[in-house]
Amino acid sequence: MHTRSQTHTSRQLPMLFFIAWRNIWRNPIRSVLTISALASGLIMVVFYSAMMEGMLRQMVYQATAISTGHIQIHRQAYIDDQDMYATFPWPWLDAIERDVPGINVAPRLYASGLASTTESSTGVMLKAVDPKREPTVTKMLTQVRSGTLNLGLASDSAEGLPRFYVVVGAQLAKNMHLIPGSELILVTQAADGSVGNGLFVVSAILKPLSPNFDRMGVLMSILAYQQLMVLDGGFHELAIHVEDAEHMQAAEALLVHNIDKRNQAQPLDDLGGKAVLRNWRTLSPMISDMLEMSKTINFIVGFIVICLASMGMLNTMLMAVHERSHEFGILIAIGMKRRWLLLMVMLESLLLALVSALVGVIIGISGISAFGERGIDLSGTMPDGYDWGGLVFEPYMQLYIDPINILSACVLMVVITLLAAVIPAWRTVRLDPAEVMR
Amino acid sequence: MALLTLEDITKTYKQGELLVHALQGIHLNVEEGEFVALVGPSGSGKTTLLNIIGGLDTPSAGTAQLQGTDIAKLKEVERSDFRLFELGFVFQAYNLVPVLSALENVELVMVLQGLSAAESRQRAEHYLQLVGLEKEQQRRPSALSGGQQQRVAVARALAAGPRLVLADEPTANLDSENAGALLDLMHQLSHEEKTTFIFSTHDERVMARAERIITLQDGKIISDVRTNKHD
Ligand SMILES: Nc1ncnc2c1ncn2[C@@H]1O[C@H](COP(=O)(O)OP(=O)(O)OP(=O)(O)O)[C@@H](O)[C@H]1O
Ligand SMILES: [Mg+2]
């Protein structure tokens, strides 16, 4: 005998769906409990991933917006041994900004030195920025903890030399008992071989930009730096902000091309080495690694939570299939194929999973939205924010809803619950109708 | 050729060490359109025989053929289709899918057969009318009496257009009045639809409505009588 009904599965499917849907509501309390368990699992996963995502975004923001920028350019010798003479010529600054659209640039210079007050002295790291350009690239100059930021001229010294304001890191300030208004003597080895020294006035104390800056950072204007260091031929570092951060790679490519061109027109000296471009991922490898790792952790956490939640589904469907064995026996007797029955049980699980996903996503998203833009406010317990992994965070935990994360959590849940449903569904395949109806 | 031919059917169950001879050498021919009662004491093998004819169980020896098809030789999927297209079933109780209305229960078999939704609906309504349940067609089984549920099961069995309807104690859960009414209905439809019925029963009054009474005892046919009942 040939199998006549095989060709028409499209006609049977709606009926199987229909029965599956009705079967869910046959034992409403049990189904609601199952849905609650699955939805709660999903809510937890959605919440967790929103928290992780929010933290990562804060981290990336911290890494890029506060002091690093998206991309930095140095010369090889500067990267290798902080060669003071490995600078880019000043004309490069305007030229790069002019030729590459959609970016802002800020030049920086560095040196090490010795800072002294009447009480103590300590080794410091000098960092020089352009007070006009820096704000277009980073928020460094807004990270004031106390005082008022000023990198300009304080007063002329008795000998008529200009005296500049500087800004210092919080830990350094604490160690050297510096407050806004304190005077500071800086001594360094200047570029011309002489001993550079000068008296500076602290205008403000910065929040930690990085652990290093916090401990030994002294921030000054490029003008002040040039006077102290007798180094005005160029800059050490170019920090770049890309307006459209989603298309950083395109900007990087343009920059590389532009630097090549510039190098051909006006070659850099050999000693300083070639120009090297690095993005924030390379500059902050820890954060970059953490981004990658968090995806895996997210997945593992989601997998475990959803697996636990789907135990409820497994139990429900096992009970349902057991209770209905007589009914299934009748259905097989009247000509229901076992694979249709299997499909029916799987559809029931699928519908349960989909309803749970819907409930979970709706509650999860509205719950997250309830916390608003800033996320969970921790300023009550940690007014200064918290520092973690070498970065300093604002005192709130941002929650970020990533549609891809939510979609993957839903897909993961549906797949796991369907896998769990295979066990009860398989029982229908092995059901002996004569046996169950006896 | 007879519609149904059973040749030397034997069924032996193993229950631990014990062998239970449920059927022992059954020979039987059933012609098209017959209305047959299978009677006998409990444990005589009625259910076993009906299950073998219905392809729900396989004989230990012997062959059961429906119009030349050896039922036991069918593969699982073919047997499924065989039951779907050639047979109708009415069981003792709880025949219906509880989450479907009377109408949807009747439609179900036709949908499984691959009939269009519209045709299934039309035929289902027709057969529910034949069993006198046009008013109850939207009700779920839980809202129907036992007798009404059995009538829905009869409508479902016939709507699929089978050659043979097998009913294992269809009246066992009904009072005698309802049992008689159900049998009258089955008998009448058997004639109108020219469908062969084989049903098992314990009930004397029920078996009195049959045209042929086959009596089983200890897995053997001990009598096979045709009454002259022709309406
Ligand atoms: N799966 C089985 N395993 C073992 N023995 C079985 C099995 N099925 C039936 N039997 C035995 O086979 C014999 C016939 O059983 P069957 O159910 O066919 O009788 P019946 O005539 O339908 O009885 P009743 O009128 O009580 O329904 C009985 O002795 C029964 O115990
Ligand atoms: Mg029986």
Side-chain angles (χ1 to χ4, degrees), chain A residues 438, chain B residues 9-13 20-26 37-52 168-169 199-203 207 213-223:
Chain A
R438 185 164 293 278
Chain B
I9 296 277
T10 305
K11 180 70 187 183
T12 309
Y13 290 108
V20 182
H21 301 286
L23 294 175
Q24 314 187 48
I26 301 285
L38 210 52
V39 305
S42 184
S44 57
K46 305 181 293 293
T47 298
T48 306
L49 187 58
L50 286 171
N51 281 349
I52 286 172
D168 194 5
E169 311 214 28
F199 63 95
S200 70
T201 185
H202 276 118
D203 191 326
M207 71 183 79
I213 300 177
I214 298 170
T215 311
L216 284 178
Q217 195 172 351
D218 297 330
K220 293 182 192 124
I221 295 178
I222 54 163
S223 86

Side-chain angles (χ1 to χ4, degrees), chain B residues 58-199:
Chain B
T58 46
S60 309
T63 54
Q65 297 193 342
L66 189 82
Q67 289 207 314
T69 303
D70 188 333
I71 300 161
K73 288 220 174 83
L74 296 176
K75 292 195 215 88
E76 171 64 33
V77 178
E78 294 169 334
R79 205 179 300 179
S80 213
D81 268 347
F82 171 76
R83 288 196 294 263
L84 184 58
F85 288 94
E86 312 289 338
L87 302 179
F89 284 90
V90 180
F91 297 97
Q92 188 171 325
Y94 306 111
N95 271 286
L96 306 176
V97 179
V99 294
L100 296 181
S101 69
L103 186 66
E104 288 157 354
N105 262 288
V106 179
E107 281 173 2
L108 176 61
V109 222
M110 291 177 282
V111 172
L112 293 182
Q113 283 180 336
L115 257 59
S116 73
E119 197 178 350
S120 307
R121 170 64 43 108
Q122 202 188 341
R123 277 181 72 98
E125 281 172 349
H126 171 71
Y127 279 92
L128 278 178
Q129 199 174 348
L130 284 188
V131 301
L133 290 173
E134 62 270 39
K135 284 204 201 67
E136 286 81 4
Q137 61 182 23
Q138 294 306 336
R139 292 204 205 155
R140 299 256 179 119
S142 56
L144 295 170
S145 73
Q148 287 172 329
Q149 288 181 35
Q150 291 304 77
R151 273 145 70 191
V152 175
V154 170
R156 178 181 69 189
L158 288 171
R163 292 181 197 282
L164 173 63
V165 175
L166 301 172
D168 194 5
E169 311 214 28
T171 60
N173 281 25
L174 304 180
D175 59 41
S176 61
E177 193 181 326
N178 270 311
L182 185 74
L183 248 290
D184 286 341
L185 179 70
M186 281 167 50
H187 193 201
Q188 177 202 338
L189 289 174
S190 158
H191 276 263
E192 284 174 12
E193 303 281 318
K194 306 206 172 11
T195 307
T196 315
F197 271 74
I198 305 177
F199 63 95

Side-chain angles (χ1 to χ4, degrees), chain A residues 85 189-195 229-230:
Chain A
Y85 304 102
Q189 172 93 48
D192 61 357
S194 66
V195 173
M229 297 297 297
V230 200

Side-chain angles (χ1 to χ4, degrees), chain A residues 325-326 329 430-438, chain B residues 13 15 47 51 56-57:
Chain A
S325 50
H326 175 85
R430 305 193 329 181
L431 195 102
D432 177 2
E435 191 63 41
V436 295
M437 288 186 297
R438 185 164 293 278
Chain B
Y13 290 108
Q15 210 158 36
T47 298
N51 281 349
L56 299 174
D57 207 344

Side-chain angles (χ1 to χ4, degrees), chain A residues 3-5 11-12 22 338, chain B residues 76 81 85 99 112 114:
Chain A
T3 56
R4 282 168 293 184
S5 53
R11 289 213 165 139
Q12 289 102 15
R22 289 250 179 109
R338 285 162 196 272
Chain B
E76 171 64 33
D81 268 347
F85 288 94
V99 294
L112 293 182

